[in-house]
Amino acid sequence: MTDFDRIIDALEESPAEGAQAMAAARLGFLEWVFATPGPLTARMARDALDTQAARDAQSPAARAFVGCVREAGTPARACYAGRRAARAKRAQWLN
């Protein structure tokens, strides 16, 4: 069993909901990052999302963890594009 699967299994047992589920998911994500040997890449995050454990996540904490991993697998360009668009909107508003 990989660290990823073990973390999801533990989060599946968690009764946490809402903000507590998100906090548990973030802790699980940090545990996964630090347990991974070497640097964690966006490709590794996308590969983890392709596992059965990620697809079968049911509890709020496990689903939030999968969401954290999904964000980690998002290319950085997508994040910067949103910031550029927001700046452009502000610039139009100021003119």
Side-chain angles (χ1 to χ4, degrees), residues 36-62:
T36 302
L40 183 67
T41 65
R43 181 75 205 147
M44 293 166 73
R46 288 190 300 271
D47 289 345
L49 292 171
D50 286 337
T51 64
Q52 192 66 41
R55 287 190 298 271
D56 292 345
Q58 295 296 312
S59 75

Side-chain angles (χ1 to χ4, degrees), residues 8 12 23 26 28 31 34 41 51 54 61-62 69 73-74 84 89:
I8 285 188
E12 287 290 4
R26 287 180 180 149
E31 181 180 343
F34 289 115
T41 65
T51 64
V69 174
T74 302
R84 279 191 303 241
K89 262 187 176 178

Side-chain angles (χ1 to χ4, degrees), residues 11-25 59-63:
L11 291 171
E12 287 290 4
E13 300 298 320
S14 172
E17 292 187 17
Q20 289 179 334
M22 183 50 99
S59 75
R63 288 194 317 257

